[in-house]
Every structure is written in structure tokens, then in C-alpha cells.
Amino acid sequence: METTLTGSRASAAIADLGWRYLLGGIRTTVPVGPLARAAEVAALAVAACGADADGHLALDIRPGRVLLTLQSSEHAAVTDRDVELARRITTAVEEVGLRTEPEIATGAPRSLQLLEIAIDALDIPSIRPFWKAVLGYADEPGADGPGDPLVDPLRQGPAVWFQQMDAARPQRNRIHLDLCVPHDEALRRMDAALAAGGRLLSEAAAPAFWVLADGEGNEVCVTTWQGRDT
């Protein structure tokens, strides 16, 4: 029987392994060389997970890096089984002289991150079917209500969630981006955005999220798991 974990429990359990908790999953990268080496690392990870691979592990294999994500497909959340699988994968990777890491301040192109699209709406149940159809998206397990988020069934595109509006707002952008980064990357990423001409609109909900905007007022929230549970 698997036990689902809060963000804080999941984060604490895997932080020393080079994994990070992001939006209901735990993720890491393994820096590698050519694509053939990346495929070898992927095979190692699958072997380390054994029979649990299909229900928990997702892989993105590219020249230079392998991205690994663990999440229970049954619960759409991190469980104690995912934490155990992360430990197994990290051990297997270290045994071949490689490492699992979140790519924070390492000279990598960027750290781990996940992107969401937030749509503000007055009548969420009436527009949700449109976005589900046009994107070819699906419901998450156990989240098929008229106001629930939508996800890419192949887990390649950003999730879409809906924010309730109280009144029409025609002169302001009604779609914004939510960028989830590791909790120890958020301030670094915001500093870079502000130095590039951005503005900090609000930090009232920090460290759950900070609201930033570009020079014309288009908004992005930099989010972390912190401040959302204990």
C-alpha cells in the first residue's frame, strides 16, 4: 500500500539525492555525453525501478542529459514508493560514475522546471471543454470536475489550470504563465528576470509564488512547493 506524501515530506526525503519536488512529482537530471550514453542511463533507471517503472517513471532522453520524473500514475502524486525508486536510481547512476542533480548553479542551460498555463475565467465550466478539446488534453486521475486542471496525456506540454474571476477584466491579460522551479532556484531566477527588465508585482504569497511582469505588464508567477503544506 503506497502512502502519498506532502510536498514538504517529499522534498525532505529526496533533497540529498539531487532530486527536487515540482508540481506533484520528483525530478532530476543526469548530465551525460552522447545520446547513446543517455540511452544507457535510461536503461539503468528502468532496471532500478523494476516492475514499478511503468507506473512511476517517465524519461526524457536527449544528447547531454536525461530527465527523470517519478510520480505514482495511480495517485497523480508522489508516494513513498517514488522516494524509494529515486534512491535506487541514484545509487545505480552513481555506480557508473555519474550523478543525479537539479542543475542549479552548475553552468547548465537552466535548472529543473515545469511550466503551467493559467486562464482567468468568469465561467470556468463553460470554457474548460474548449481547452480540453483544442489541446487534446485530459483529466488527471481523480480530478475530472468542471473546474479542475487539464494535463497533456503524454506529459509533454504544460498543464492548464483555471482561475476564477469575480468580474470582467477586458483591459488586462487573462492568461498568464506559472513557472515552477526548485525552491532553491526561485530567487536566482527572479533576480535574473528583474535584471532583464522585469518588475516584481507582488510577493505577498511568497514563497509559494511571486508575481512578476515584463515591461508591458504581461505576468508570470514563479512558484515553488514551499508555503503550500507543512
Side-chain angles (χ1 to χ4, degrees):
M1 184 81 174
E2 294 179 54
T3 301
T4 59
L5 304 179
T6 62
S8 55
R9 287 185 62 197
S11 179
I14 48 82
D16 62 341
L17 302 175
W19 296 66
R20 292 294 185 272
Y21 176 83
L22 299 175
L23 295 177
I26 52 177
R27 298 164 72 90
T28 194
T29 62
V30 180
V32 295
L35 187 60
R37 185 58 163 159
E40 292 172 2
V41 169
L44 276 176
V46 172
C49 292
D52 288 322
D54 286 341
H56 292 265
L57 178 65
L59 294 157
D60 183 299
I61 306 170
R62 308 286 177 97
R65 74 199 288 265
V66 180
L67 171 66
L68 303 103
T69 303
L70 287 167
Q71 182 192 61
S72 166
S73 58
E74 178 183 356
H75 300 283
V78 175
T79 67
D80 52 354
R81 182 72 52 81
D82 295 301
V83 170
E84 172 57 29
L85 296 178
R87 294 188 182 280
R88 289 191 209 167
I89 291 171
T90 296
T91 298
V93 166
E94 289 176 345
E95 287 175 351
V96 297
L98 299 173
R99 66 188 184 281
T100 50
E101 65 170 56
E103 294 188 318
I104 295 172
T106 63
R110 63 162 172 79
S111 72
L112 292 170
Q113 66 181 37
L114 280 175
L115 186 65
E116 294 182 296
I117 298 173
I119 300 175
D120 296 350
L122 289 168
D123 187 355
I124 293 171
S126 73
I127 69 162
R128 185 180 185 272
F130 166 82
W131 289 103
K132 185 175 182 180
V134 74
L135 295 173
Y137 271 25
D139 304 320
E140 281 191 304
D144 58 357
D148 283 331
L150 298 169
V151 295
D152 180 353
L154 299 181
R155 297 302 193 266
Q156 292 176 322
V160 175
W161 68 279
F162 304 91
Q163 182 164 265
Q164 184 66 56
M165 295 175 62
D166 334 354
R169 196 173 61 227
Q171 299 305 318
R172 183 183 166 201
N173 184 26
R174 289 173 58 181
I175 296 180
H176 71 269
L177 304 181
D178 280 355
L179 181 66
C180 184
V181 298
H183 62 279
D184 44 356
E185 166 69 3
L187 294 180
R188 186 190 315 275
R189 190 68 63 90
M190 286 195 302
D191 286 345
L194 296 175
R199 293 180 293 131
L200 177 62
L201 300 185
S202 175
E203 55 184 346
F209 64 90
W210 294 258
V211 184
L212 285 75
D214 66 15
E216 295 193 358
N218 300 300
E219 296 179 9
V220 58
C221 293
V222 176
T223 78
T224 78
W225 66 264
Q226 289 184 326
R228 300 174 188 269
D229 62 26
T230 55

